[in-house]
Amino acid sequence: MAEQNERRLFGRQRRANSDTPRNAGRYVVKTNAEEDAQLRARAVVAGVTVPRFLVEAGMNANVETSTERKQTIAELFALSRTLGTVANNVNQLARYANTEGRFPAEAEGVVAEYRDLSARIDETIRRLAGA
């Protein structure tokens, strides 16, 4: 009896009863041997069963799939290429301004492009940070 109470204090505890029916959904997840071993190991570290681990992981708002990460990385590469183009344009404008002694009117388009690119970079960083 004392051992059971000690286990409840320091180990897993039973999940609280829910007001909603438990038979609302049942999912079958098929894994290969490597995935099964990884899931079991992560569940042991978390101190829960594999089904409980999957539910908690799936319900976590901060979950990011590999597809989402690949899309974000692709967007960062595109932003990097665009940033290089804008930097080249700024260098050309600076050279022109230094040579001619005036700033060209067409530079407003580059400034607008820079602001748009800056906003996209900020948004991508926020998304990566999970904010």
Side-chain angles (χ1 to χ4, degrees):
M1 177 83 166
E3 181 181 318
Q4 183 180 16
N5 288 339
E6 185 176 308
R7 198 171 89 208
R8 284 187 182 243
L9 279 174
F10 299 106
R12 295 188 309 208
Q13 291 186 355
R14 185 175 178 272
R15 184 171 120 177
N17 289 339
S18 173
D19 293 336
T20 59
R22 295 204 77 201
N23 61 356
R26 179 183 175 100
Y27 303 93
V28 176
V29 178
K30 296 183 180 184
T31 62
N32 60 33
E34 182 180 328
E35 292 167 338
D36 180 57
Q38 287 178 2
L39 279 173
R40 288 178 188 274
R42 288 181 181 190
V44 167
V45 169
V48 295
T49 63
V50 172
R52 176 81 266 165
F53 179 79
L54 290 173
V55 167
E56 289 179 6
M59 299 304 287
N60 184 348
N62 296 323
V63 172
E64 179 182 47
T65 65
S66 61
T67 303
E68 291 169 332
R69 178 158 294 276
K70 287 176 187 176
Q71 288 172 343
T72 304
I73 289 170
E75 184 173 351
L76 283 174
F77 279 125
L79 289 172
S80 176
R81 283 190 303 275
T82 306
L83 186 60
T85 302
V86 172
N88 185 39
N89 290 346
V90 169
N91 284 336
Q92 290 172 354
L93 288 169
R95 185 179 324 144
Y96 179 85
N98 287 331
T99 304
E100 298 296 321
R102 64 184 177 87
F103 200 67
E106 298 84 20
E108 287 301 317
V110 174
V111 171
E113 185 178 357
Y114 170 78
R115 287 184 179 147
D116 178 55
L117 181 61
S118 178
R120 286 177 56 200
I121 290 171
D122 288 345
E123 175 57 32
T124 303
I125 290 171
R126 269 195 232 73
R127 207 173 40 225
L128 282 173

